[in-house]
Structures are given as C-alpha cells and as structure tokens.
Amino acid sequence: MARLSLGKPFANAAEKVDKRWHWHKLPTPLGILVLIGIRDRLREQNLHDTGLPDGEPPAWDERHLTARTVDGTYNNLQRPRMGAAGTRFGRNVPLEHTHPEELPRLVEPNPRTVSRELLTRDEFVPATTLNVHAASWIQFEVHDWVFHGHDPSGRQWQIECADDDPWHEHPMRIDATKPDPDRDGDGRPATWVNTETHWWDGSQVYGGTAEDAKTLRTGELGKLAIDDRGLLPEGLEPKDPDYTGVPGAQWVGLTALHSLFTREHNAICDHLHERHPELTDTQLYDKARLVLSALIAKIHTIEWTPAVISHPTTVRALNVNWWGVLGERFDKRFGRKTSNDVVRGLVGAPTRLHGVPYSLTEEFVSVYRMHPLIPDDYTFHSVATDEVLQERSFRELQALEVRERFTELDMDDVFYSLGVAHPGAIQLHNFPRALQEFHRPDGTVLDLAAIDILRVRERGVPRYNEFRRLFHMEPARTFDELTDNPEWARELERLYGDPDRVDLMIGMYAEPKPAGFGFSDTAFRVFVLMASRRIEADRFLTVDYRPEVYTQAGLDWVDENTMRSVLLRHFPRLEPSLAGVDNVFAPWRRVR
C-alpha cells in the first residue's frame, strides 16, 4: 500500500476498528483506510534491526550507479552492504521476543507428530480460484529472496518417531540452520544470514555469484544462454547430481518459469538493442536485468498477489501500491507528475527506510511457508486438443527428471496443463505427501512438513498467539476461537493442550480466512508491512526508476507488459486458453 501516514491517533483508531469489526468486513474505502492505519502501526513497532555484519563491500565501480550488482551491494549508496547477500535477516517483532526455542520445548509437541496428525494430505483439497502456476510462481520468487544455506558443521536435531511411524530412520535427523558466522556472543538473540540478496533483483534468473552470472551469459547482445528447448544448455547445469541447495528443489513447473523469464530477458535485449544500438553487451545485460526484475515485481504485486488474496480491498490497495490512487490509465496517459506516492504509487517515488536498514525478515520467511499449494499428481494435456499426454506424480517431475520430461513434452503443453489444473488449498491436512517424504537429488529423504515446524521454532519466531499479539491482533483464547472447524479444534486441543502452544504455521493453516484469501489474515499482517517495504527501500524501484537508468524503452516495457503478454510472446499457442481469463494465475480455459 502506498504511503499515507495519518499519525498515531489514526493508527490507534484503525487498530480498534480492526479488532472490533475486522478490516475485510468493511466497505472497500474504509477497509483501505484501516489497512493504512495498520501499516503505519507496523512500520512504527514492527521493524527491528539485527545489525550489519562486519566487512567491506567490493571495490567501487561506476557501473554500480546504474546497474544491480550480483551480490546486492551498492543498492543503497550510503550503506553499500545493506540488503546484500551474506547479511542478516531482520525481525518484525522486538528482539527480546526472538530467542530460539531450546530443548525440550524445541521439539514439543513433536514436529513429526504434528506433520503426521495435522498436515498429512488424506484427500487433495484444491484451491479452485487458482492454477498451479500460482504455486510455481511463489517458489520461483522465494528462490530470489531467501535461503539460509547449509551448516557445514553437520549439526543435527534428533526427532523421536512413534513406534508405528514408517519413517526410514529412528530418530529422524534434521540438519540445524547454519549459524551466523559474525555473532559476537554478547547475549543478544541469535541471528541468521541470507545467502541471497534481500532485493527484488531476479537473482533466481541471473545467478547468485559472479561466476554463476558469467557462466549464464552468452557474451553477445546482453543475452542469457538457453537451448532450443528453452532449457539451460547441459554444460551449464550442476555437474554433480548430489547437489543439496536451491537447484535440488527444481521441478517441471519451476523450470518452466525459469525458461520463460530467460526468454523474456533475451527479448528485452533485442528490444533495447533495436532502439539503442550503441549499447554494449554489458550495458544491454544490465538494463535488461533492471527491466526484467521490475517486471517480475510488478507481476507479483498486481497479478499474483491479487489472485491469491482476491478481496476487493486488497486488490485495490495493491494496484495503488504500483500505479497510485489515480490508477494505471491516468498514469499511462499523463505520467507521474508528483512525488507523492499515494497519487503516483511507490514505484519511482522517493526511497524510504522508516529509520531501519532494509532487510527481509525471519517472520517474512515464516509466513511464506506455502507447500500445500503443490499437488501430488499431474495430468499433462495437449494445448491444441486437450488430449491427455501423460500422467505423472510429483516425484517424476523433480530435479533429476526435468530434462527427460521436457524431451517428452513441449513447453507450451506444460504451461497449458498447469494453467488448467488447481493447486492445493493452504490449510491443515493438505500438505503434499511427496514433500512429507521428499527425495532430494543427493539421496537424502526429508519430511518438509516437520522441518517447516522445527525451523520456525529454531529461528525464534514466536508461536501463533504470541505472534498475533506482537502484530497487534487478538490471540485465540480457545481452540474453537482459533478455527471454525470443530474437528480441527479437537485435534489441536489434543495435540497442543493450550492455544498458546500452537505453532505459527499450524495456526495460520487452521484459522478462518477473509473472503477471497488463499492464506491467513495473520500472514497478511507481515505482507501489509513488507510488500511496500521491498519496493520503497529499493533504489532501482524508486529514485532510479527513470529513463536515465532504464532507458525510456525499458520503462515502457515494464509498464506495457503483464504475465499474459510475456506468456503469449513466447508461447502464442496458449492464446485460446487465455481468452477471457482476467488473471493468468486463475484457472485457464480448457481448449476443445
């Protein structure tokens, strides 16, 4: 939501109105005002600095003025390491509330028991307002934003398994999170480091290291390498199949998006070269990266998010974030003639940090745990006739199977098939079985549901009720107040005993959702704060979102394109299926 601060009295009033009537039950104009008040309170009380680790940024280069760096340094010219890879996650709750849980509380109730009894998918529950690209998209985005890395020390947590548990090892062993190497042992709560940049900079497309970035380039006209099937050339893939990092999470849906946006980068390079033949290979690459990263941020802000939380108030607020209160048509016709970000939107407005250095936060990571979106079973259809081509399990679509699947299936058939299929609803008893027994490419088997539960506790994110209190929401006094599903309430009571013990993720999956919401209002509070912050803290989306940096052709590309136009540029055979579809993350039309 764009910037409009009405002061503490208004924030106090908005909080009281929300607690009594709930913002999502109010008329849209009043609901937006209440969200503005909520956001102002969150900016005041829910941005907390964990400190910038010691170390010098790379040597200065004039290129840094007009180009994103691979490691995220020099986005902020006054604090060059702010938001860079290798810097700490911040917090959205006061630091005294962020001490990691210790044994025995760390494993109470048992994460494996929580996984089996509250999360196991007995029957697939679809999210019927969405398609599977909504699931692929958030994974694509998270790979740009966050990764904690792996602890080289081999530290592990041991989780006891019940006698009747078919897990392959007793006890279950879960790797500990890699500790912050720059902790000074001063008694403050533990911190963790993001291996990725904190910026919205397309690093999942461009690589996270200078070596990766160089390898992915062709060296001609700024372009990225891609083979005739739209995949990375085989020589550029990880050579060791026992990889354990982000590449190990690849699957067909995610690979399709990587292919799509690699193609889009190259199309932007062609467009810019045609209009600016004087630009060098490096200059074309830099500007195309700026354009593609901004386009991805736009798609997430005004297409993916409104599809997942399709409440009239949030749809309007998200469009105001990007286009301003006067809207897209006014902006395109008359331009952005004011620096007021309510009128013009956050993009191109002044950069703002609200007194706290920018970073993504552990609370942000915790509310984006959306694994239930992934189905276990997939049917692939012909985009031309809708005939069934293949039926596959998720395990048959994972990292080591991706290349084989794309030798059997055309990319546009894959896009079509995922576009007409539903993801899972984000709720209890709907976690993918394939991820409860996730076979990683290195041979390790993981229960990602149990890991998700443990990670939130391990990293000092408060449990559900305390989290709500710290985000200025009412806690659930009883299990029947926490959820509107009586059967779930009894299950939660049996496992937790006390509502204050309920895990954050479990509470968010169980609570009633606002109309049109795919995830909880509790998770949305973090989004209210951080959705704006990711834009307004970024120099390349604020003060340097201008022709002198992007070129006017580059800015026009961002303004004029959507996820639909990106898809149809590279896969025109999808047009009949997208006809009449307002949002490409909603279900597509079946062809006849």
Side-chain angles (χ1 to χ4, degrees), residues 43-55:
R43 280 175 172 167
E44 176 190 356
Q45 298 185 12
N46 291 82
L47 292 174
H48 299 278
D49 183 17
T50 54
L52 193 66
D54 295 335

Side-chain angles (χ1 to χ4, degrees), residues 288-302:
R289 178 172 185 170
L290 287 171
V291 172
L292 186 73
S293 299
L295 179 57
I296 288 172
K298 177 189 170 188
I299 289 170
H300 187 83
T301 301
I302 64 176

Side-chain angles (χ1 to χ4, degrees), residues 59 112 203 251 346 361 440 455 504 512 556 581:
R112 174 64 174 171
S203 57
W251 67 286
L346 296 171
T361 66
R440 211 164 56 178
R455 288 291 180 246
L504 173 63
D556 291 344
V581 177

Side-chain angles (χ1 to χ4, degrees), residues 150-151 154-157 167-169 171-176 240-245 248-249 394-395 398-400 433-448 451 455:
H150 296 286
D151 186 355
R155 290 185 310 128
Q156 291 184 319
W157 303 113
W167 195 250
H168 66 282
E169 60 176 2
M172 173 183 285
R173 303 176 191 276
I174 297 176
D175 291 343
D240 181 357
D242 294 337
Y243 45 86
T244 60
F394 183 75
R395 190 173 297 177
Q398 290 175 213
L400 298 182
R433 284 184 170 273
L435 298 185
Q436 269 185 310
E437 190 178 328
F438 178 58
H439 291 253
R440 211 164 56 178
D442 66 347
T444 306
V445 183
L446 306 172
D447 178 355
L448 292 184
I451 290 173
R455 288 291 180 246

